[in-house]
Structures are given as C-alpha cells and as structure tokens.
Amino acid sequence: MAAAKTSAAGEGKAGGALHRYRSHTCGALRPADIGATARLSGWVHRVRDHGGVLFIDLRDHYGLTQVVADPDSAAFKTAEAVRSEWVIRIDGLVRQRPEGTTNAELPTGEIEVYASEIEVLSEARELPVPVFGEPDYPEDLRLTYRFLDLRRETLHAIIMRRLAITRSIRQRMHEAGFNEFPTPILTASSPEGARDFLVPSRIHAGRFYALPQAPQQYKQLLMVSGFDRYFQIAPCFRDEDPRADRLPGEFYQLDVEMSFVEQEDIFQTMEPIMTGVFEEFADGKRVDTDWQRIPYDTAIAKYGSDKPDLRNPIEMQDVTEHFRGSGFKVFAGMIEKDPKVRVWAIPAKGGGSRAFCDRMNAWAQKEGQPGLGYIFWREDEGAAGAGPIAKNVGSERAAAIQEQMGLATGDACFFTAGDPARFYKFAGLARDEVGRELKLVDEGRFAFAWIVDFPFYEWNEEEKKIDFSHNPFSMPKGGRAALEAAEAEGRDALLALKANQYDVVCNGYEIASGSVRNHIPETMVKAFEITGLGQAEVEDRFGGLYRAFQYGAPPHGGMAAGLERMVMLLTGTPTVRDVALFPMNQQAADLLMGAPSDVTPKQLRELSIRVVAPEKK
C-alpha cells in the first residue's frame, strides 16, 4: 500500500478523546511515536501465532502496522478470533520492536502496537481469491471479485500510480497553456473506425444517441468557437473486440486540440510533455528525448509494422535483386512472375547456428507459414554461408547478401517473399521473434517515435471501394488539389495519397494518434465523395461540423494518447486490464456488476424497442 505519514482526526489534541476509528493511519507511526497511545483501523492482512503471542499485520490504504497481542492483553481473546480481511479497530501502546525483529522494508518497521483493545467492525467470509501475496488466479474469478483483487498490494499500487500519472499529465498540460474542456457523453453516431454504443431515446421514439468513440467533432468545434489549446482526460466508448493492449467498452485518453498550428507545432508541444511524464515515472529506465520521425512506408519496410519496437535494433532490407534469376527457384520464379514480389531480409546477429535457424523455421510454421528461409554463416563455410538457400544461390550471391546486411561469421539472415502488402505483418512478427530469442531488445529503455505520412485512403476489399485509412477528418497532403489529381489518375493514385496523420509509438505500442484536420468544407466534401458519400450525406452525418466550417474555421490539429496504454508501459503490466479499476473481461462482460444484463419488458416498451433474439446456429 502507499506509505504515508498521515494522521487521522483527533491526533495532537492534548487530553482530547481519540477519533472513533483512528488517531493514525496504518502507515503513519514512527519511532517518534513510541510511548504514545494509538488507535488504528484497517483490514487484517494476516495473523501469525508465535508460541502463543499473536501478531496481526493491520493494513489500510496508507500502509501496514504490526499489532501484538499476548495472553496478558485484554484484547487477546478477540485477537484469537479475527481472520484475514476482517475489518477491526485496535487501541494500543506504540513500542519499539525487539532487537533483531525490525523490518527495513516497511516504513513502520521499527515499531509495533501492543493491543489493549480490539473491536471487530466487520467480519469477512472465506475469501474466493486471496489478498495476501500475488496468487496466480483465473482472471475471470479476479474480475468477479475485483474489490478483493484491488486490495492486493501490487494492484493497489498500480491504480495509485495511474492517478499520479494522470495528475502529472494535467499539471503539464496546464503549464503548457491548455485548458480542460468537458464535452458531451450523449451525442450522435460518428465513424471513428469502430462500432458505436447506441443509447435509445425514450423521448424521440425509434431514434438513438451514441456514446462518443472520441470527442473528435466537439474538440474541433471548440477550435471553431474561438477557444485554443483544448485538452481533456476523456472517456471514450467503442464496441470493438478486446485485446491485451485495449480495453473493451470504455477507456480514457489524453485528448488534445490546438488552433493555428501545423504538424510540427503539435510535435514540438506534445513531445516534451509526454517525455516528461515518462521520465517522471520511468523508475530508472532511459527515456528517448529526441524522438525519431519515421514515414509510414519506411516503418513498414524496415520493421514490418507501423508501431515498431525500436528497442530492437533489427532493420529489414530489400534483397530482391540478389534472388532475381538465381538458382533458388522458389524466389526467382515468384519475382519473374509478378512485378509486385519483393524479398525482404531479416538480419540476426548472433543467430548463426542451425539449431536457432531450425527453431525460427518451426516458429514460422506455427504462425501458419510454410517456413522461413535462411542463410547462416559459420567458420567452415566462410562468406558462402550454410543452409538450403545458400547452396542454391551460390557463394557470390550469399556473400553479397552478407555484405549488404552487415553480417559476419556467427550471424544469420532470414527471408520472406511475396507481395509486401500481404506478408509485411508476418515479417514484422519474425523480426520481433528474432530480437526476443537473441535477447537483442533493450529492456531498460522507452523508445519513442512519430510515425508520419500515413496513407489517406485504403481499399475496402469486402465492399470493393475506397475507404478512409484512419481519421476521416484529417487533411490530405496537398489539400483538395491533391485529392482531385489522384481521383483523376485512379485507384492506385488515391491509395498512394498521404495524410497529415501521425502516431506516437513506444516499445511496440501505438500510444497516441492525431492529425492536422481538414477544415475546408469543400475539401471535406471531396474527401468523403471519393469514399461514396455525397454532399447531402456529409451534411446529414456531420451537420454540426460541416456547418461550423462555413463560418470561419481556423487551421487546427491535435492528437489523443491512450491513458491505459501509457500506464501499462510505465507499470510494466502485461495487460491494460491491470491498470483499470473495474474492467470488463475479454468477452466484454462486467463480471462484478453483471453487465450487459437483461432489462424488463416495461423498460423496452418505454423505449419503443422490441428485442429480436438471434437465430440459433
């Protein structure tokens, strides 16, 4: 628990009566208090019986104090009855712990309280999940009894750390001249890239509000309203599938918007704020202070990901020409048949053994791939390398690959081939796996980068049409002229169009996303028209924003950083569910409160709703 020398009401009043429940918290007493009478209240952390002398570790939010009761104490009989997680009040004399029994790890470790009176305030049934220690219990059981789970020292400390991080963010934003504006929770449905949570209206039968996926339109409207430098620790609601780095249902983000800015202004403003937060809570890890700027296409080609873990030094390269017309017919045939085919190489310094290469090949097969080609270099082969690919391409080509990749004896190189649009994600996973297996990842570092120049559009294969790649309210690079020119050239030109869109990545996670906004109504309409929405539909769906842009909109832009992901990184927890107070499980169910739940027929009638049960499969 958080240790703090915090006193309760009543302490320090000469001759005054003690407070009903405590004169001190369980983290407050120190050697200076020896000889004083103290009153503490808290949970029984554990009870230890040392030859008839009972030791009770009493815990509250602030810390833990050792309480002693022996057969001579009037409180001994009650002390014998108490069990773990009972809530008790104790009165007693503060005394020094006997020599050799001090606990240097506890702020209260030099003292103990000899109990003269114990009052049971609340009993606890047998615990379904233990609070003491760090038991490995099923997550669903922990979430069902989250109020017990939160009593555990580690999880309790994580939540308090989250609050401290949030306070730090707020302070830094205010110091940078931002103001915190609250935005509505009940709003209109908007395409933010996920499904909305809909809220039926009782007053307007048959119509629905939506919970905001983000305050996107409202913060832009604030800029049009003449405010500047908005921020909010904003709740967001998205009906999307959960995963380890994303909470189902709801999450919080640091939401930011600024007027009269270009992309670089946003970078220069937010980079020191986020760096400062990480430096404050890094616990000895190094924090990048000079963030890289990596174009999206470069990130994909070098790292196989738009959220690369830069702690891993491996950078992939294109080695297609070394295989063109080579004796390795698998790759050579693919290259000859399809001009889109490329061969990418993943260097593995220190991986030059057949055992490691075979292990990576088996890993690839588990990932659903036929395998992972490789060359490795050892003393007896020299630059010619070893392995099936080396034998087929010949010593000259193998040596050329070794030279291009900067590899030496004792190293290896793995290869993926095909259309990069189809295999780049697997290549990125292979890069990650090689880095982990060879222990190349610098675990003591927070490595930041801005990923810039995202594609403005993408191809929706399911609907066979052009769609927005990211935020539909972003400004395309080159504005309306670029949109019209790309439209005239056709699909490939549209897919090559870049956006004033950027992400912040850290240690393999996207922790923030943003853009310079499309604030020109004609450009906004043109951007949506290319995706199949006409002007009338744009006005209908985004009426508030579209109307606002008719009356003088400043150039503006911003970003949003995921609070839970930042806390997850700073606390070293494996999942964002460990940094949220009452999260849903991986099936988007709140096991503690029983949500989602059935509602009564009366409630449905009031909302003019009839539930149609899904067909049984």
Side-chain angles (χ1 to χ4, degrees):
M1 301 300 174
K5 192 168 182 179
T6 303
S7 299
E11 185 190 6
K13 296 180 181 178
L18 291 175
H19 182 272
R20 170 68 179 88
Y21 295 115
R22 57 189 183 187
S23 62
H24 299 75
T25 69
C26 293
L29 294 171
R30 299 292 188 270
D33 299 301
I34 291 171
T37 297
R39 174 171 288 176
L40 308 178
S41 289
W43 286 262
V44 175
H45 196 56
R46 60 174 175 166
V47 181
R48 291 166 287 136
D49 186 341
H50 287 192
V53 179
L54 298 178
F55 293 86
I56 299 172
D57 291 335
L58 192 65
R59 182 195 76 240
D60 67 6
H61 171 75
Y62 301 97
L64 186 145
T65 297
Q66 179 172 284
V67 177
V68 183
D70 62 22
D72 293 332
S73 167
F76 185 74
K77 187 174 181 181
T78 308
E80 285 185 304
V82 302
R83 297 291 180 266
S84 291
E85 297 310 301
W86 285 27
V87 180
I88 64 174
R89 172 190 64 79
I90 71 103
D91 288 357
L93 180 69
V94 182
R95 67 186 191 184
Q96 188 168 3
R97 289 199 189 190
E99 187 176 349
T101 65
T102 58
N103 185 345
E105 296 182 4
L106 276 181
T108 61
E110 295 181 69
I111 61 89
E112 61 187 15
V113 176
Y114 181 73
S116 58
E117 182 180 328
I118 297 178
E119 177 188 3
V120 175
L121 301 175
S122 175
E123 295 183 10
R125 296 166 59 181
E126 185 176 347
L127 300 178
V129 291
V131 171
F132 179 72
E134 298 295 322
D136 185 17
Y137 265 62
E139 185 178 66
D140 277 4
L141 189 61
R142 289 175 52 202
L143 293 179
T144 301
Y145 295 95
R146 186 65 166 181
F147 50 87
L148 292 177
D149 204 32
L150 287 167
R151 293 182 192 175
R152 289 192 299 114
E153 184 176 9
T154 301
L155 194 53
H156 201 91
I158 287 171
I159 296 302
M160 293 308 297
R161 194 168 182 81
R162 171 180 175 146
L163 300 183
I165 291 167
T166 306
R167 280 196 301 273
S168 177
I169 290 171
R170 279 198 165 95
Q171 180 182 342
R172 293 171 189 276
M173 294 301 289
H174 284 300
E175 289 173 353
F178 287 84
N179 291 299
E180 188 164 12
F181 295 83
T183 53
I185 297 299
L186 289 178
T187 184
S189 183
S190 174
E192 297 284 348
R195 296 182 187 89
D196 287 317
F197 278 106
L198 300 177
V199 180
S201 170
R202 178 183 58 82
I203 297 171
H204 305 281
R207 308 189 75 182
F208 293 81
Y209 302 101
L211 302 180
Q213 293 188 33
Q216 181 68 51
Q217 293 189 64
Y218 285 114
K219 68 179 180 178
Q220 291 190 245
L221 287 166
L222 282 167
M223 299 303 101
V224 181
S225 301
F227 297 105
D228 199 348
R229 296 218 164 192
Y230 146 97
F231 91 97
Q232 184 181 185
I233 307 295
C236 303
F237 307 88
R238 297 181 186 177
D239 187 6
E240 56 189 356
D241 296 332
R243 61 189 190 203
D245 66 336
R246 183 170 65 196
L247 285 172
E250 62 180 293
F251 59 93
Y252 283 81
Q253 65 187 27
L254 166 61
D255 206 49
V256 179
E257 199 75 10
M258 305 163 66
S259 285
F260 301 108
V261 291
E262 296 180 302
Q263 180 172 284
E264 188 62 28
D265 298 312
I266 298 165
F267 290 2
Q268 292 294 330
T269 301
M270 295 307 300
E271 192 172 311
I273 290 172
M274 296 188 69
T275 299
V277 171
F278 270 76
E279 285 178 330
E280 183 179 350
F281 296 96
D283 276 347
K285 289 187 177 181
R286 301 186 309 282
V287 180
D288 285 3
T289 55
D290 185 16
W291 296 13
Q292 294 188 47
R293 314 284 173 87
I294 306 173
Y296 171 86
D297 291 340
T298 302
I300 296 300
K302 277 189 175 184
Y303 310 112
S305 172
D306 59 1
K307 45 181 181 294
D309 187 347
L310 299 178
R311 299 173 302 166
N312 180 351
I314 294 174
E315 293 186 358
M316 299 186 294
Q317 293 186 42
D318 189 318
V319 292
T320 307
E321 295 310 310
H322 296 306
F323 286 92
R324 191 184 300 276
S326 73
F328 190 63
K329 299 302 182 184
V330 177
F331 286 1
M334 293 168 65
I335 294 166
E336 184 178 351
K337 183 178 179 182
D338 185 351
K340 287 185 178 179
V341 166
R342 312 303 296 169
V343 181
W344 287 3
I346 306 165
K349 290 186 180 294
S353 72
R354 188 174 299 279
F356 176 69
C357 292
D358 287 346
R359 195 157 72 245
M360 284 300 302
N361 189 60
W363 168 85
Q365 291 170 348
K366 288 180 182 178
E367 293 292 317
Q369 301 296 319
L372 190 62
Y374 58 83
I375 298 176
F376 65 97
W377 290 272
R378 55 190 179 191
E379 291 287 351
D380 47 344
E381 280 90 3
I389 289 180
K391 292 176 182 177
N392 283 283
V393 299
S395 59
E396 186 176 328
R397 290 176 186 257
I401 291 171
Q402 184 187 34
E403 182 179 1
Q404 178 183 333
M405 302 306 295
L407 297 172
T409 299
D411 298 337
C413 194
F414 298 92
F415 305 95
T416 58
D419 180 352
R422 297 181 181 275
F423 77 67
Y424 79 84
K425 290 183 180 179
F426 168 72
L429 291 174
R431 170 187 174 266
D432 293 341
E433 185 68 12
V434 170
R436 277 192 298 268
E437 284 285 321
L438 297 178
K439 295 182 169 51
L440 301 176
V441 179
D442 183 356
E443 300 288 351
R445 174 184 170 208
F446 289 112
F448 285 96
W450 294 99
I451 309 298
V452 299
D453 300 342
F454 276 83
F456 190 68
Y457 290 120
E458 64 183 9
W459 180 250
N460 185 327
E461 184 62 36
E462 187 176 325
E463 298 183 23
K464 305 295 182 187
K465 75 179 190 73
I466 293 285
D467 236 335
F468 288 107
S469 178
H470 276 69
N471 190 320
F473 304 108
S474 301
M475 177 69 82
K477 285 186 174 290
R480 185 178 177 183
L483 283 172
E484 291 174 341
E487 185 181 34
E489 291 184 42
R491 170 178 154 180
D492 288 347
L494 286 169
L495 295 178
L497 195 65
K498 302 301 182 185
N500 279 299
Q501 171 91 34
Y502 39 82
D503 282 357
V504 177
V505 299
C506 179
N507 293 9
Y509 292 96
E510 172 209 322
I511 62 171
S513 184
S515 72
V516 174
R517 316 305 183 189
N518 185 348
H519 69 288
I520 307 297
E522 295 79 14
T523 308
M524 178 181 174
V525 169
K526 171 53 69 176
F528 277 99
E529 280 179 346
I530 291 171
T531 69
L533 290 181
Q535 178 164 340
E537 291 172 289
V538 172
E539 291 187 42
D540 181 56
R541 287 197 187 189
F542 317 110
L545 200 59
Y546 181 77
R547 282 194 304 276
F549 285 173
Q550 313 293 319
Y551 296 97
H556 58 283
M559 58 176 275
L563 182 62
E564 283 87 3
R565 287 187 190 175
M566 291 172 66
V567 177
M568 182 181 76
L569 285 169
L570 286 167
T571 56
T573 53
T575 163
V576 288
R577 289 186 297 282
D578 280 340
V579 304
L581 274 170
F582 299 104
M584 296 184 185
N585 69 0
Q586 290 191 302
Q587 287 72 47
D590 181 344
L591 301 178
L592 174 59
M593 302 301 289
S597 60
D598 295 326
V599 296
T600 66
K602 179 183 177 184
Q603 288 173 295
L604 292 175
R605 284 195 302 272
E606 288 175 340
L607 295 168
S608 303
I609 286 177
R610 177 181 293 126
V611 174
V612 178
E615 295 181 6
K616 293 183 179 180
K617 295 182 181 180

